[in-house]
Amino acid sequence: MEASSDHEDNLKRDRGIRNFVTAEDVARLAGVSRSAVSRTFTPGASVSADVRLRVQEAAKTLGYRVNRLARSLISDQSNLVGVVGANLSLPFMARQLDELSRALLRRGMQCLLLNAAEAEQGITPLIELILEFRVRAIVVMSGSPPSSIIDDCVANGVRVILVNRQADDAETDTIISDDLGGARLAAGRLLQAGCRRIGVVGSGARTPTQLRRRVAFAECIEEAGIEPVVWASGETTYETGIEAAEGLLASHDLDGVFCVTDLLALGFLDGARRMGRRVPDDLSVIGFDDIPQSAWVPYHLTTVRQSMSDLTEAVLTAIEREMHGKDMDLVHEVLPVELVERATVRPTA
Amino acid sequence: MEASSDHEDNLKRDRGIRNFVTAEDVARLAGVSRSAVSRTFTPGASVSADVRLRVQEAAKTLGYRVNRLARSLISDQSNLVGVVGANLSLPFMARQLDELSRALLRRGMQCLLLNAAEAEQGITPLIELILEFRVRAIVVMSGSPPSSIIDDCVANGVRVILVNRQADDAETDTIISDDLGGARLAAGRLLQAGCRRIGVVGSGARTPTQLRRRVAFAECIEEAGIEPVVWASGETTYETGIEAAEGLLASHDLDGVFCVTDLLALGFLDGARRMGRRVPDDLSVIGFDDIPQSAWVPYHLTTVRQSMSDLTEAVLTAIEREMHGKDMDLVHEVLPVELVERATVRPTA
DNA sequence: GCAACCCTTGCACACGTGTGCAAACTTCAT
DNA sequence: ATGAAGTTTGCACACGTGTGCAAGGGTTGC
């Protein structure tokens, strides 16, 4: 019995399942101590040129890489950053993730991506999972974390950074684009173009971002004495935009519409055309986000742009801010937006 | 001196930098041994109901999570999967990543995402980085890994899975969609529609996928005795598609075009219209990938679809295939494609 | 009442790495 | 030649976890 077990053990050590090369292996081949190997791969450690060379050579032939897991075990820092997102294929989210993952890598951090799409019971289990990896911070771009799990993160010294999300009463950094300002810009522009029969298009999703944009826009319009028509159902997709146009324009002869998302706006434009409306002559449309497709020829959508690089930079600032125990100073940034004038709003008279 | 150091040490242990809760802390609070804590969080381990409850309670109040790094140190398996990708904001890539990250999570694996966008010296350093995390496998969706680094991966028992990429002579799994078949479908359809003055549009990128599609298409067309006009410069973007249309159609009166990517095709459509061509009456266009935007109203692009779910499933199959030392059986899958008929090719006469 | 058995629990070792400390070695000035 | 000063190296401990092993305690069957 033991003999068989021993044999198996040897096999394992030789070429079996456990075949990651360790510093021990390298040390043996190079004829030095394991410490020497460790120091070779630790910047600023004291090793003679001779030993360093021999170690590097041995490491190369064996294909050795430092085990980050073991290294992180000591420093309690994995330079991993957890990212929670959903609907990664939506243009705006995709750009956000693209920029963020690039910036993280540039700063020497890695990106642990968890897709929240199938999280029926909220994103709490996802955050718990991320926490197990001793991440440096958690960036939440989708879903709304309950404050209980956020407290756990803080208790473990992990910052939670919400991007275009909000959690009340919790110790999180929050970075949101200026939805209110953007909605006001849109409202102002439509009124300035002389629109009097105005609509707002959102989806059925009740995200804080959507609500803020819709409510702020409605308020501005109401101040001008106009009661806006509202559409708020379906998913946040191009197809919903079409449906909104067909549903709204069948019963209302609108001359100005604000869509809380560019994707909705593009669908709305196509739907409106199908309903026989000419843009911008009969109908002005404004979107929000400035996704790449909005600049495409058939659309030339006038929209509110949030600067992607500002957003990314703010996230990185939050991540890199030191934690001073419990009394950490949180980042609460509201990023400015601007109106990008293209061709879907009637020029000012 | 020592007193001060000790003091500092105590501070650290109390609430300082090292503030991750450990199993030791939980054990102390619950009045049991650390082993009991460990077993409580290990499925199938033997713990009495009483102890388990006390431990769970203590863990809850302290906000304890198992340290995955330490756990992985023993089993040499982190259930992490490294993913290398670039241009995550491009629709096709974004969908791929969305599906993959979702599928990974569903199977209990996590996704370590590295953005290869800024990798001037190739993706070798990125793969080295991933390797340090003892990942279960590496999925490469962008860039071409030299076989030297792949050998290192295999030496460490890590599978490398190339998606729509190719590496010669290396022990990788490769999953590619049937570019040749797709190009043939496109060529056949254009010829069937009676096109005689035919063009191929690619970008300046010399990826294997692009080359295969272009060459295979050209061969088919030449078999019919037609010499296709080729465009091959710029980035793989919508804007390049427009440029291609303006450049090509100014000097050639084409009546059929195959774009190796939907994004190029959409740009080409808009460019062609701007040049006064009517689609499909004057000009037929076929794309490749079937990204969501291709179904949008202004385009209704006829295109070659690769099944995203097939692709994801193939990747997961490869990841989950056991490694039997060196003699692993590799996955080499060519995924079928189909022609999606929409409205940019003249109906068959 | 006693033995046999099962369940629970703690001890101690292992995983692969970084690093303080002291020993060994080298260099240099006297 | 000798001591001082600096550099290099190995030992041993720490990080937080899983788990084999043996000891302890409880239950069952006779």
Side-chain angles (χ1 to χ4, degrees), chain B residues 135-160:
Chain B
V135 294
R136 179 152 169 189
I138 298 180
V139 180
V140 177
M141 308 195 302
S142 176
S144 42
S147 62
S148 60
I149 185 71
I150 293 177
D151 290 345
D152 274 6
C153 291
V154 175
N156 282 302
V158 176
R159 297 185 90 97
V160 178

mmCIF file of all heavy atoms in Angstrom, chain B residues 135-160:
data_model
loop_
_atom_site.group_PDB
_atom_site.id
_atom_site.type_symbol
_atom_site.label_atom_id
_atom_site.label_comp_id
_atom_site.label_asym_id
_atom_site.label_seq_id
_atom_site.Cartn_x
_atom_site.Cartn_y
_atom_site.Cartn_z
ATOM 1 N N VAL B 135 -3.248 30.040 -13.232
ATOM 2 C CA VAL B 135 -4.558 29.901 -13.855
ATOM 3 C C VAL B 135 -4.769 28.492 -14.349
ATOM 4 O O VAL B 135 -3.827 27.714 -14.499
ATOM 5 C CB VAL B 135 -4.696 30.859 -15.057
ATOM 6 C CG1 VAL B 135 -4.674 32.284 -14.602
ATOM 7 C CG2 VAL B 135 -3.610 30.578 -16.070
ATOM 8 N N ARG B 136 -6.016 28.192 -14.571
ATOM 9 C CA ARG B 136 -6.363 26.871 -15.047
ATOM 10 C C ARG B 136 -6.146 26.750 -16.553
ATOM 11 O O ARG B 136 -5.826 25.697 -17.073
ATOM 12 C CB ARG B 136 -7.840 26.610 -14.714
ATOM 13 C CG ARG B 136 -8.322 25.300 -15.158
ATOM 14 C CD ARG B 136 -9.445 24.821 -14.295
ATOM 15 N NE ARG B 136 -10.080 23.670 -14.900
ATOM 16 C CZ ARG B 136 -11.199 23.135 -14.449
ATOM 17 N NH1 ARG B 136 -11.795 23.670 -13.408
ATOM 18 N NH2 ARG B 136 -11.711 22.081 -15.027
ATOM 19 N N ALA B 137 -6.343 27.856 -17.245
ATOM 20 C CA ALA B 137 -6.137 27.876 -18.687
ATOM 21 C C ALA B 137 -6.025 29.320 -19.154
ATOM 22 O O ALA B 137 -6.367 30.241 -18.411
ATOM 23 C CB ALA B 137 -7.282 27.176 -19.413
ATOM 24 N N ILE B 138 -5.539 29.495 -20.361
ATOM 25 C CA ILE B 138 -5.433 30.839 -20.922
ATOM 26 C C ILE B 138 -6.161 30.879 -22.251
ATOM 27 O O ILE B 138 -5.919 30.050 -23.128
ATOM 28 C CB ILE B 138 -3.963 31.237 -21.123
ATOM 29 C CG1 ILE B 138 -3.235 31.261 -19.770
ATOM 30 C CG2 ILE B 138 -3.847 32.580 -21.812
ATOM 31 C CD1 ILE B 138 -1.782 31.646 -19.871
ATOM 32 N N VAL B 139 -7.067 31.829 -22.388
ATOM 33 C CA VAL B 139 -7.805 31.995 -23.634
ATOM 34 C C VAL B 139 -7.269 33.223 -24.350
ATOM 35 O O VAL B 139 -7.254 34.317 -23.782
ATOM 36 C CB VAL B 139 -9.313 32.173 -23.372
ATOM 37 C CG1 VAL B 139 -10.057 32.355 -24.678
ATOM 38 C CG2 VAL B 139 -9.861 30.992 -22.595
ATOM 39 N N VAL B 140 -6.796 33.036 -25.557
ATOM 40 C CA VAL B 140 -6.223 34.157 -26.314
ATOM 41 C C VAL B 140 -7.173 34.533 -27.441
ATOM 42 O O VAL B 140 -7.444 33.737 -28.333
ATOM 43 C CB VAL B 140 -4.844 33.789 -26.888
ATOM 44 C CG1 VAL B 140 -4.301 34.930 -27.723
ATOM 45 C CG2 VAL B 140 -3.895 33.448 -25.763
ATOM 46 N N MET B 141 -7.692 35.746 -27.379
ATOM 47 C CA MET B 141 -8.621 36.200 -28.406
ATOM 48 C C MET B 141 -8.000 37.302 -29.259
ATOM 49 O O MET B 141 -8.643 37.860 -30.136
ATOM 50 C CB MET B 141 -9.899 36.720 -27.762
ATOM 51 C CG MET B 141 -10.517 35.745 -26.778
ATOM 52 S SD MET B 141 -12.208 36.156 -26.356
ATOM 53 C CE MET B 141 -11.997 37.806 -25.721
ATOM 54 N N SER B 142 -6.769 37.639 -28.954
ATOM 55 C CA SER B 142 -6.134 38.735 -29.668
ATOM 56 C C SER B 142 -4.629 38.607 -29.567
ATOM 57 O O SER B 142 -4.094 38.157 -28.554
ATOM 58 C CB SER B 142 -6.585 40.056 -29.049
ATOM 59 O OG SER B 142 -5.914 41.117 -29.647
ATOM 60 N N GLY B 143 -3.933 39.009 -30.615
ATOM 61 C CA GLY B 143 -2.487 38.882 -30.613
ATOM 62 C C GLY B 143 -2.081 37.453 -30.934
ATOM 63 O O GLY B 143 -2.893 36.539 -30.884
ATOM 64 N N SER B 144 -0.823 37.275 -31.289
ATOM 65 C CA SER B 144 -0.385 35.924 -31.631
ATOM 66 C C SER B 144 0.788 35.543 -30.739
ATOM 67 O O SER B 144 1.866 36.099 -30.847
ATOM 68 C CB SER B 144 0.024 35.871 -33.100
ATOM 69 O OG SER B 144 0.758 37.026 -33.444
ATOM 70 N N PRO B 145 0.550 34.610 -29.836
ATOM 71 C CA PRO B 145 1.596 34.193 -28.907
ATOM 72 C C PRO B 145 2.680 33.394 -29.610
ATOM 73 O O PRO B 145 2.376 32.449 -30.334
ATOM 74 C CB PRO B 145 0.830 33.317 -27.906
ATOM 75 C CG PRO B 145 -0.358 32.837 -28.660
ATOM 76 C CD PRO B 145 -0.709 33.898 -29.626
ATOM 77 N N PRO B 146 3.944 33.765 -29.419
ATOM 78 C CA PRO B 146 5.045 32.971 -29.980
ATOM 79 C C PRO B 146 5.084 31.616 -29.291
ATOM 80 O O PRO B 146 4.674 31.476 -28.144
ATOM 81 C CB PRO B 146 6.281 33.800 -29.630
ATOM 82 C CG PRO B 146 5.870 34.679 -28.510
ATOM 83 C CD PRO B 146 4.421 34.937 -28.679
ATOM 84 N N SER B 147 5.569 30.619 -30.007
ATOM 85 C CA SER B 147 5.484 29.255 -29.478
ATOM 86 C C SER B 147 6.368 29.071 -28.250
ATOM 87 O O SER B 147 6.145 28.158 -27.469
ATOM 88 C CB SER B 147 5.859 28.244 -30.562
ATOM 89 O OG SER B 147 7.189 28.452 -30.965
ATOM 90 N N SER B 148 7.342 29.957 -28.052
ATOM 91 C CA SER B 148 8.205 29.808 -26.876
ATOM 92 C C SER B 148 7.389 29.957 -25.592
ATOM 93 O O SER B 148 7.503 29.151 -24.672
ATOM 94 C CB SER B 148 9.321 30.852 -26.909
ATOM 95 O OG SER B 148 8.778 32.160 -26.912
ATOM 96 N N ILE B 149 6.539 30.963 -25.543
ATOM 97 C CA ILE B 149 5.752 31.177 -24.319
ATOM 98 C C ILE B 149 4.706 30.080 -24.157
ATOM 99 O O ILE B 149 4.375 29.666 -23.047
ATOM 100 C CB ILE B 149 5.088 32.578 -24.324
ATOM 101 C CG1 ILE B 149 4.380 32.831 -23.003
ATOM 102 C CG2 ILE B 149 4.105 32.712 -25.463
ATOM 103 C CD1 ILE B 149 5.302 33.054 -21.844
ATOM 104 N N ILE B 150 4.219 29.600 -25.280
ATOM 105 C CA ILE B 150 3.237 28.512 -25.206
ATOM 106 C C ILE B 150 3.875 27.271 -24.605
ATOM 107 O O ILE B 150 3.272 26.573 -23.787
ATOM 108 C CB ILE B 150 2.664 28.209 -26.604
ATOM 109 C CG1 ILE B 150 1.827 29.406 -27.075
ATOM 110 C CG2 ILE B 150 1.821 26.951 -26.578
ATOM 111 C CD1 ILE B 150 1.264 29.252 -28.453
ATOM 112 N N ASP B 151 5.119 27.013 -24.989
ATOM 113 C CA ASP B 151 5.825 25.878 -24.409
ATOM 114 C C ASP B 151 5.925 26.028 -22.897
ATOM 115 O O ASP B 151 5.769 25.061 -22.151
ATOM 116 C CB ASP B 151 7.230 25.767 -25.015
ATOM 117 C CG ASP B 151 7.165 25.320 -26.466
ATOM 118 O OD1 ASP B 151 6.093 24.841 -26.888
ATOM 119 O OD2 ASP B 151 8.169 25.463 -27.179
ATOM 120 N N ASP B 152 6.183 27.244 -22.449
ATOM 121 C CA ASP B 152 6.241 27.491 -21.007
ATOM 122 C C ASP B 152 4.922 27.157 -20.340
ATOM 123 O O ASP B 152 4.881 26.545 -19.279
ATOM 124 C CB ASP B 152 6.583 28.962 -20.735
ATOM 125 C CG ASP B 152 8.088 29.177 -20.733
ATOM 126 O OD1 ASP B 152 8.815 28.214 -21.058
ATOM 127 O OD2 ASP B 152 8.533 30.284 -20.413
ATOM 128 N N CYS B 153 3.848 27.549 -20.977
ATOM 129 C CA CYS B 153 2.531 27.260 -20.422
ATOM 130 C C CYS B 153 2.332 25.763 -20.298
ATOM 131 O O CYS B 153 1.926 25.258 -19.246
ATOM 132 C CB CYS B 153 1.432 27.853 -21.307
ATOM 133 S SG CYS B 153 1.381 29.637 -21.292
ATOM 134 N N VAL B 154 2.619 25.076 -21.352
ATOM 135 C CA VAL B 154 2.431 23.622 -21.349
ATOM 136 C C VAL B 154 3.330 22.975 -20.304
ATOM 137 O O VAL B 154 2.918 22.059 -19.588
ATOM 138 C CB VAL B 154 2.725 23.040 -22.744
ATOM 139 C CG1 VAL B 154 2.661 21.528 -22.707
ATOM 140 C CG2 VAL B 154 1.735 23.590 -23.758
ATOM 141 N N ALA B 155 4.554 23.488 -20.167
ATOM 142 C CA ALA B 155 5.477 22.949 -19.164
ATOM 143 C C ALA B 155 4.888 23.109 -17.765
ATOM 144 O O ALA B 155 5.152 22.308 -16.874
ATOM 145 C CB ALA B 155 6.824 23.651 -19.253
ATOM 146 N N ASN B 156 4.107 24.135 -17.582
ATOM 147 C CA ASN B 156 3.485 24.364 -16.284
ATOM 148 C C ASN B 156 2.092 23.752 -16.189
ATOM 149 O O ASN B 156 1.369 23.966 -15.222
ATOM 150 C CB ASN B 156 3.402 25.865 -15.994
ATOM 151 C CG ASN B 156 4.738 26.426 -15.554
ATOM 152 O OD1 ASN B 156 5.315 25.984 -14.574
ATOM 153 N ND2 ASN B 156 5.256 27.384 -16.296
ATOM 154 N N GLY B 157 1.712 23.033 -17.216
ATOM 155 C CA GLY B 157 0.427 22.356 -17.168
ATOM 156 C C GLY B 157 -0.760 23.263 -17.416
ATOM 157 O O GLY B 157 -1.857 23.007 -16.932
ATOM 158 N N VAL B 158 -0.553 24.337 -18.163
ATOM 159 C CA VAL B 158 -1.649 25.257 -18.455
ATOM 160 C C VAL B 158 -1.999 25.189 -19.933
ATOM 161 O O VAL B 158 -1.141 25.386 -20.795
ATOM 162 C CB VAL B 158 -1.260 26.707 -18.090
ATOM 163 C CG1 VAL B 158 -2.357 27.667 -18.488
ATOM 164 C CG2 VAL B 158 -0.960 26.817 -16.613
ATOM 165 N N ARG B 159 -3.238 24.918 -20.218
ATOM 166 C CA ARG B 159 -3.674 24.878 -21.612
ATOM 167 C C ARG B 159 -3.750 26.272 -22.184
ATOM 168 O O ARG B 159 -4.148 27.208 -21.493
ATOM 169 C CB ARG B 159 -5.068 24.258 -21.722
ATOM 170 C CG ARG B 159 -5.160 22.837 -21.294
ATOM 171 C CD ARG B 159 -6.557 22.325 -21.569
ATOM 172 N NE ARG B 159 -6.642 21.753 -22.891
ATOM 173 C CZ ARG B 159 -6.539 20.456 -23.130
ATOM 174 N NH1 ARG B 159 -6.367 19.631 -22.139
ATOM 175 N NH2 ARG B 159 -6.622 19.989 -24.358
ATOM 176 N N VAL B 160 -3.404 26.395 -23.452
ATOM 177 C CA VAL B 160 -3.578 27.663 -24.151
ATOM 178 C C VAL B 160 -4.618 27.452 -25.237
ATOM 179 O O VAL B 160 -4.495 26.543 -26.056
ATOM 180 C CB VAL B 160 -2.261 28.143 -24.778
ATOM 181 C CG1 VAL B 160 -2.478 29.435 -25.534
ATOM 182 C CG2 VAL B 160 -1.205 28.320 -23.703
#
